[in-house]
Amino acid sequence: MTITQPDLSVFETLESEVRSYCRGWPTVFDRARGSRMYDEDGHEYLDFFAGAGSLNYGHNNPVLKRALLDYLERDGVTHGLDMSTTAKRAFLGTFQDLILRPRDLPYKVMFPGPTGTNAVEAALKLARKVKGREAIVSFTNAFHGMSLGSLAVTGNAFKRAGAGIPLVHGTPMPFDNYFDGTVPDFLWFERLLEDQGSGLNKPAAVIVETVQGEGGINVARPEWLRALKDLCERQDMLLIVDDIQMGCGRTGAFFSFEEAGIVPDIVTVSKSISGYGLPMSLCLFKPELDVWEPGEHNGTFRGNNPAFVTATAALESYWADGSAMEKQTRTRGEQVEQALIGITEENLADVREYRGRGLVWGLEFHDKSRAERVARRAFELGLLIETSGPESEVVKLLPALTVTPEELDEGLRILARAVRETAPAVTV
């Protein structure tokens, strides 16, 4: 692919230095459909980024777009705070009928604001209110958002440093396999809880991702999650599962914790819950935890009615027939895994590990700088992928759940080529 130099002057002179993704993809995108994006010069890119997991059903999904356009054309309510609207009623009813009831999940639904970190802040606040304690336990390499409460339970040192103030009332514990299997699960955590001299304040809750996306595609085993749930019950702590990136079918089932057979006390959902990339988040919790006073936690944009419309259409289109979407995602995931096995076998000396579930996968190299070179070369070849991990050492694959087998194969071939063309030179 021949890339002409795009005009980036207005972004470089006017937009803040805080921008990040655009630095790895130096072009100006103009339109997108399904799993493909196009820049203003007409170059085509296969998207294995999917809006950081916000576009599980692809760009401008035609079914969701039609529902949105119909709603707007009839002057449907756009902004509604927490007022009752027909769009919200339709979403709540559909979510209950297609997602909660079939899984025997008793959750109340809260709309805390438009972003994932809004949902996490609400979950932390609610846990503290219910238990009357301030401490929250999180895990190494966790990522839960960029506002202060969420940063306090995030592991990444670079992101935490941006807070500018001490981040308090959060205590990290080792994530699954943090010690490469040499230490029994939760040995340190439980010892601290039971030792009156440990200095650990009794936590109100534990917050966890079943797969750490930003942390490097670290996959928790089902048995580890079950043991964590059991520990929380024995120690009178609430379990919060952050399903913001891994929910909405990303790992196969609608909720990523389903495979472990657990029912968290609180679940945060965002990113692809709107189905169309529109801002929307949910905080789900067991009914007995609904101790909020009216208006105690609110937000101006928690009533994004267009997002309710596309969310309803997404549920009806992809989740009404039970397990079909889940089976498709698992099949696509097996396709990715086989390709990563091939890449690993071809680069035995360079690939440290591949790992993932469903349609979220990571490829880690011994040379921690390699992942960024692979992502940069993939962009030059027409594939959008990002990196993750505390040192950006993992190539992260996050294609839309609606990606076709042919598109998946095309992107995986580009990835293999990018790995091959960034291999270190062999000296003799």
Side-chain angles (χ1 to χ4, degrees):
M1 178 186 297
T2 301
I3 304 292
T4 57
Q5 188 63 34
D7 181 6
L8 302 173
S9 57
V10 69
F11 308 107
E12 294 170 349
T13 59
L14 192 59
E15 193 177 0
S16 167
E17 293 299 318
V18 78
R19 64 195 189 281
S20 60
Y21 292 119
C22 59
R23 297 180 188 276
W25 303 325
T27 192
V28 180
F29 293 103
D30 179 58
R31 58 189 179 89
R33 176 73 178 261
S35 288
R36 298 188 186 272
M37 298 187 73
Y38 304 85
D39 68 18
E40 60 185 356
D41 293 320
H43 297 121
E44 180 182 291
Y45 301 85
L46 192 54
D47 184 6
F48 276 22
F49 174 65
S54 295
L55 296 165
N56 280 2
Y57 312 107
H59 294 270
N60 286 303
N61 183 290
V63 176
L64 311 190
K65 180 166 66 174
R66 186 70 263 161
L68 177 59
L69 291 175
D70 288 346
Y71 183 77
L72 295 176
E73 285 171 353
R74 73 168 185 83
D75 291 333
V77 173
T78 297
H79 180 273
L81 294 149
D82 67 0
M83 292 182 284
S84 300
T85 65
T86 55
K88 184 198 284 189
R89 181 171 59 196
F91 169 74
L92 285 170
T94 304
F95 189 68
Q96 183 177 47
D97 291 343
L98 298 184
I99 303 300
L100 297 182
R101 279 181 180 153
R103 293 161 178 79
D104 198 25
L105 295 174
Y107 297 133
K108 297 289 287 291
V109 179
M110 174 183 178
F111 301 102
T115 71
T117 199
N118 293 140
V120 170
E121 296 285 358
L124 300 180
K125 185 188 290 188
L126 179 60
R128 288 169 169 141
K129 181 177 174 66
V130 168
K131 293 299 183 182
R133 311 179 206 130
E134 78 284 353
I136 303 290
V137 165
S138 57
F139 291 95
T140 50
N141 290 311
F143 178 79
H144 296 291
M146 298 297 282
S147 50
L148 292 180
S150 300
L151 277 176
V153 291
T154 287
N156 187 284
F158 173 73
K159 292 179 172 63
R160 289 174 62 88
I165 62 171
L167 296 170
V168 296
H169 308 310
T171 302
M173 291 291 165
F175 191 71
D176 190 14
N177 204 38
Y178 188 71
F179 293 108
D180 298 320
T182 61
V183 177
D185 296 337
F186 307 115
L187 175 66
W188 174 243
F189 190 3
E190 195 149 20
R191 183 72 59 84
L192 290 179
L193 288 169
E194 294 175 350
D195 184 357
Q196 296 301 305
S198 70
L200 175 66
N201 292 336
K202 181 78 171 183
V206 176
I207 185 167
V208 67
E209 303 155 274
T210 65
V211 180
Q212 294 182 325
E214 299 305 310
I217 319 300
N218 306 310
V219 182
R221 294 166 296 143
E223 55 267 33
W224 186 85
L225 292 168
R226 287 192 289 270
L228 176 59
K229 175 60 174 171
D230 180 66
L231 176 61
C232 287
E233 290 178 350
R234 287 187 284 107
Q235 295 288 346
D236 187 34
M237 302 178 297
L238 298 178
L239 177 62
I240 304 168
V241 168
D242 181 339
D243 231 8
I244 287 165
Q245 189 169 87
M246 298 304 154
C248 301
R250 175 54 57 181
T251 63
F254 187 86
F255 294 109
S256 70
F257 56 80
E258 292 182 49
E259 181 183 348
I262 62 173
V263 178
D265 300 292
I266 304 174
V267 182
T268 60
V269 182
S270 187
K271 289 193 182 287
S272 274
I273 188 60
S274 81
Y276 202 74
L278 299 177
M280 177 179 175
S281 73
L282 310 177
C283 185
L284 312 175
F285 40 82
K286 294 179 177 178
E288 61 269 25
L289 304 181
D290 194 8
V291 297
W292 294 113
E293 296 290 336
E296 189 175 7
H297 186 94
N298 55 28
T300 302
F301 294 100
R302 66 194 185 279
N304 185 356
N305 282 254
F308 297 153
V309 171
T310 54
T312 302
L315 296 178
E316 291 175 342
S317 299
Y318 294 100
W319 298 97
D321 55 357
S323 61
M325 190 69 185
E326 179 177 350
K327 290 178 180 176
Q328 175 178 297
T329 297
R330 294 189 189 282
T331 299
R332 301 283 193 273
E334 291 169 3
Q335 185 179 348
V336 175
E337 184 175 18
Q338 289 304 309
L340 295 182
I341 290 173
I343 291 172
T344 300
E345 291 175 347
E346 185 180 338
N347 301 268
L348 281 176
D350 304 319
V351 176
R352 182 174 184 271
E353 187 182 18
Y354 66 87
R355 51 187 180 264
R357 279 178 60 195
L359 275 175
V360 53
W361 289 86
L363 185 66
E364 184 176 358
F365 299 92
H366 291 291
D367 176 1
K368 293 186 177 183
S369 66
R370 179 85 175 279
E372 291 190 335
R373 296 199 302 274
V374 169
R376 185 165 57 249
R377 181 58 182 146
F379 169 74
E380 294 169 352
L381 296 171
L383 176 68
L384 303 181
I385 51 175
E386 66 167 328
T387 61
S388 69
E391 298 178 69
S392 298
E393 72 276 20
V394 178
V395 171
K396 181 180 180 181
L397 306 180
L398 209 67
L401 306 187
T402 53
V403 66
T404 67
E406 295 76 20
E407 289 171 331
L408 204 51
D409 185 58
E410 177 187 346
L412 292 167
R413 286 199 307 270
I414 294 174
L415 173 64
R417 179 180 169 186
V419 171
R420 197 176 301 120
E421 294 182 359
T422 56
V426 178
T427 57
V428 291

